[in-house]
Amino acid sequence: MKRKEFSDDDTDDEKSKKLKTKSGLSRVPENDVVSGDDDSDPMNDDTFHGLSGSDASSDSSVFESESDGDHDGINGTANISKANGPENGKAEATNGVTNSSTSRESHAKQKVLAQERKAAKPNAGNISRSKKIWERLRRKSHVPLKERKELVAELFGIITGCVKDFVFKHDSVRVIQTALKYANLEQRKMIARELEGEYKALAESRYAKFLIGKLLVHGDNEIRDLIIPEFYGNVRRLIKHPEASWILDDTYRGIATPQQKSRILREWYGAEFSLFKSEATAAPTANLSDILKEHPEKRAPIMRSLYETINHLVQKKQTGFTLLHDAMLQYVLNTKIGGEDRSEFIELLKGDEEGDLLKNLAFTRSGTRVVSLALAYGTAKDRKVILRAYKETITALAYDSHGHLVLLAAIDVIDDTVLTAKSIFSEFLGKDSDREKQHENILAHATDKYARIPLLHVFAGTANRLLPQEEITFLEAIQSIRMATSKKEPEVRRKELIKAISPSLLSTIEQNAEKLAQSLFGCQFIFEVLLGADGDKASAMDSVADLAMGNPAVEGHVAQSQAASRMLKTLVVGGRFDVKTGKVEPVQPPLGFAAILYSRIKAPIAQWAMGPGSFAVVALLEAEGFEGKQEILKVLRKKKEGLKEAAGREWVLKEE
């Protein structure tokens, strides 16, 4: 029931007074809400303390406060400061100054207390002084050599004997790093010896881990052999640690000896390999095949431990470690044909949605072999998924010293040649580009040490003129696996790929023969493509033969280039030399380059025979089906004395 504001007996004046009183004492700021459920009284004694005087009953004073006073947003009530007159205003201003002064004093006291606490810590004075020296030394260009030597000597005087007190603090560890930077070898050894027994803890420290890196990089074998053994027995813990994993992998990749690497990798195989050392008479091996051959009963626990550690790092997205890639290679090499462990491993590779795992693997030696084996062992669907992960990195793989091997494996094992041509070769050829841009792309690949290999692989196969022996051996293993996992015949696959890329390659030779002939790799590209390509080669051969026109004695002529003259010789004989048979195996149909070249060098044939380009003339005389042999011999017989003299000069050069 609503409360009645006025009684029936109230006069008009009394009602007016009640309204004024109610309006003055009840008003609150518009933004403040006084909840009816709140137990506290919004009009508390503190808020209205100023109204206790004689002015409190004055209506004019109340309304003046209402219009001029500030509102207290905390209590939700009116702060009617002017109700108490100017004296209270001065008091409040004084209180504001006092509060500000009190706050500054409080901060000053806190600062003093903090400094006192720092000063009470051990070696506080030494740390403070060393930090000042570090501040000076870090500005190398601003410190004269003499002063720097004095500062370094003073710094070592401070830290000697108490290095451990510096290394676990984020600011003072910089002092030790600076000391290492300017130290001589003996001083570095001193620091390394003082930290002996603490390297595992240092590796796990967010800041001190960099100190280990500096010691290993700037130290010698003695320092290396002090640090790395302290990781033994803790490898699986360290590789999972967010800080220590990076320093462990850097150490493994770039510093550790082969024996130390084996000790580190062995610990992935289980706790037994962390707790017990191998036989003292033999160096420890990390080759899992040898270990399983010696202890076949340990296969299940070793493979399980290895997979669990691999899977942990993959799930944590820590997939860039060389140590991880080496462990993965050991695992996949020892999975069984048709076994669940092999299928599970391939699914692990495919399950990386972002593709970071596959991309990281493709740029290390062990990683490329892991991916190549996965391509060889996998199904057609597996291969498609793996290849899709490299959609944006095909070109980068081609130019990489390790990555190109992944492309070679894909070319060898994928049955869908349309997919291979579209996913791999289209990136090389630049299918979506105009003809000029396409030629530039192919030219860049053809003259690069690594990028040329995937482009020429379909023509040359695993020839040692294209690949090192180590890669040849590995690709031959991939090709043997392919026999059980791929359906298409290798020769059919090769011909389909050659047909897909030949037009673009022949067009590039036709337009850029001169540029290609200027380098060894370019010359190799020319003869590999012309011997093996499918389609009309006439225009390309004409462009190459035109290079031989002119005076062969002029500097810069192709006859003066050993690589170019050998290229011409190979094209003239029309085939590649087979080491096994000891003779040239001509291509079919015959290339017919001998007649094309002879038409360009017929006039100066004697000069060719007596110069560096004599290989090409000899090839013309040996070429099968070439009809100009007798004509050449007739010219050379007339130049017999000159040929003997040229042969003598060549012999003298060899003797020197």
Side-chain angles (χ1 to χ4, degrees), residues 117-153:
R117 282 195 294 269
K118 282 185 179 181
K121 292 180 180 180
N123 295 312
N126 288 340
I127 292 175
S128 176
R129 174 57 186 158
S130 64
K131 284 161 68 175
K132 291 179 181 178
I133 296 174
W134 166 79
E135 183 65 32
R136 181 69 176 147
L137 284 174
R138 73 186 184 89
R139 303 180 67 194
K140 181 177 179 180
S141 60
H142 294 75
V143 182
L145 179 61
K146 183 179 179 181
E147 182 184 354
R148 186 166 71 243
K149 288 182 177 180
E150 292 173 354
L151 290 172
V152 170

Side-chain angles (χ1 to χ4, degrees), residues 274-497:
S274 301
L275 298 173
F276 304 105
K277 296 181 179 180
S278 60
E279 295 80 0
T281 56
T285 178
N287 190 321
L288 188 54
S289 299
D290 294 341
I291 295 172
L292 295 179
K293 186 177 181 180
E294 187 177 353
H295 302 286
E297 73 283 357
K298 296 180 181 180
R299 174 183 173 80
I302 288 176
M303 295 294 282
R304 183 170 58 252
S305 174
L306 184 53
Y307 182 82
E308 286 174 356
T309 308
I310 290 170
N311 186 52
H312 175 87
L313 293 176
V314 171
Q315 300 308 321
K316 292 290 186 182
K317 308 297 182 185
Q318 294 180 311
T319 57
F321 298 139
T322 302
L323 182 52
L324 170 64
H325 300 173
D326 286 356
M328 293 177 80
L329 179 60
Q330 291 298 322
Y331 185 86
V332 71
L333 285 173
N334 289 278
T335 54
K336 293 182 178 179
I337 299 174
E340 184 180 344
D341 51 357
R342 181 171 293 175
S343 301
E344 188 179 23
F345 183 79
I346 293 176
E347 289 300 319
L348 178 67
L349 296 179
K350 290 165 52 182
D352 183 41
E353 296 179 359
E354 292 83 3
D356 290 341
L357 171 60
L358 286 167
K359 289 174 184 174
N360 286 328
L361 283 169
F363 293 96
T364 64
R365 181 184 177 279
S366 294
T368 56
R369 284 155 176 76
V370 170
V371 179
S372 300
L373 288 168
L375 286 167
Y377 289 137
T379 63
K381 186 177 180 180
D382 295 335
R383 292 165 182 165
K384 188 174 182 179
V385 172
I386 292 171
L387 193 59
R388 190 186 301 136
Y390 298 113
K391 183 178 180 180
E392 298 177 356
T393 55
I394 292 292
T395 302
L397 289 175
Y399 283 94
D400 187 72
S401 59
H402 301 298
H404 70 272
L405 195 60
V406 172
L407 300 181
L408 300 186
I411 291 168
D412 278 348
V413 304
I414 295 177
D415 290 335
D416 187 351
T417 53
V418 175
L419 174 65
T420 304
K422 183 179 179 181
S423 301
I424 298 177
F425 289 114
S426 64
E427 294 294 326
F428 297 162
L429 308 180
K431 290 288 188 182
D432 298 331
S433 307
D434 56 33
R435 183 58 61 90
E436 185 177 350
K437 183 64 176 177
Q438 189 179 107
H439 290 166
E440 289 179 5
N441 290 338
I442 296 173
L443 188 63
H445 281 76
T447 54
D448 184 79
K449 180 180 180 180
Y450 299 111
R452 68 194 175 93
I453 297 175
L455 206 55
L456 298 179
H457 182 58
V458 291
F459 300 107
T462 55
N464 57 10
R465 63 179 176 273
L466 191 65
L467 295 166
Q469 186 58 46
E470 182 186 17
E471 292 186 4
I472 293 173
T473 303
F474 179 73
L475 286 174
E476 287 174 348
I478 292 292
Q479 291 167 0
S480 65
I481 296 170
R482 174 186 66 186
M483 296 174 63
T485 59
S486 298
K487 298 177 181 179
K488 186 170 287 186
E489 288 295 324
E491 188 61 21
V492 174
R493 180 190 294 104
R494 190 180 76 87
K495 288 182 177 179
E496 289 177 355
L497 290 173

Side-chain angles (χ1 to χ4, degrees), residues 76 86 125 163 174 288 504 532 565 596:
V163 174
R174 303 173 197 167
L288 188 54
S504 298
S565 61
I596 298 173

Side-chain angles (χ1 to χ4, degrees), residues 91-244:
E92 287 194 7
T94 305
N95 287 339
V97 174
T98 304
N99 290 339
S100 176
S101 176
T102 303
S103 177
R104 284 197 297 271
E105 290 174 358
S106 176
H107 284 301
K109 287 179 180 178
Q110 290 175 5
K111 190 173 182 180
V112 170
L113 286 173
Q115 290 174 347
E116 289 176 353
R117 282 195 294 269
K118 282 185 179 181
K121 292 180 180 180
N123 295 312
N126 288 340
I127 292 175
S128 176
R129 174 57 186 158
S130 64
K131 284 161 68 175
K132 291 179 181 178
I133 296 174
W134 166 79
E135 183 65 32
R136 181 69 176 147
L137 284 174
R138 73 186 184 89
R139 303 180 67 194
K140 181 177 179 180
S141 60
H142 294 75
V143 182
L145 179 61
K146 183 179 179 181
E147 182 184 354
R148 186 166 71 243
K149 288 182 177 180
E150 292 173 354
L151 290 172
V152 170
E154 183 183 356
L155 182 58
F156 270 93
I158 293 172
I159 66 174
T160 300
C162 56
V163 174
K164 291 182 182 180
D165 296 330
F166 285 77
V167 294
F168 290 104
K169 298 180 179 67
H170 73 90
D171 52 353
S172 58
V173 71
R174 303 173 197 167
V175 173
I176 306 300
Q177 292 184 38
T178 301
L180 281 172
K181 179 179 179 180
Y182 295 111
N184 56 41
L185 183 58
E186 285 304 316
Q187 289 171 325
R188 289 171 184 150
K189 287 182 179 180
M190 179 274 293
I191 293 174
R193 293 189 194 103
E194 284 200 30
L195 293 174
E196 195 170 359
E198 300 290 345
Y199 289 111
K200 174 180 167 293
L202 289 173
E204 294 174 338
S205 170
R206 183 177 180 182
Y207 301 100
K209 65 180 180 183
F210 300 110
L211 180 63
I212 296 180
K214 281 191 175 291
L215 277 169
L216 289 170
V217 169
H218 297 297
D220 62 355
N221 294 346
E222 181 183 341
I223 293 175
R224 178 197 65 200
D225 294 338
L226 276 174
I227 296 172
I228 294 178
E230 293 197 18
F231 297 153
Y232 299 158
N234 301 286
V235 170
R236 288 191 299 169
R237 170 189 170 93
L238 293 174
I239 198 62
K240 296 175 183 178
H241 193 279
E243 307 296 341

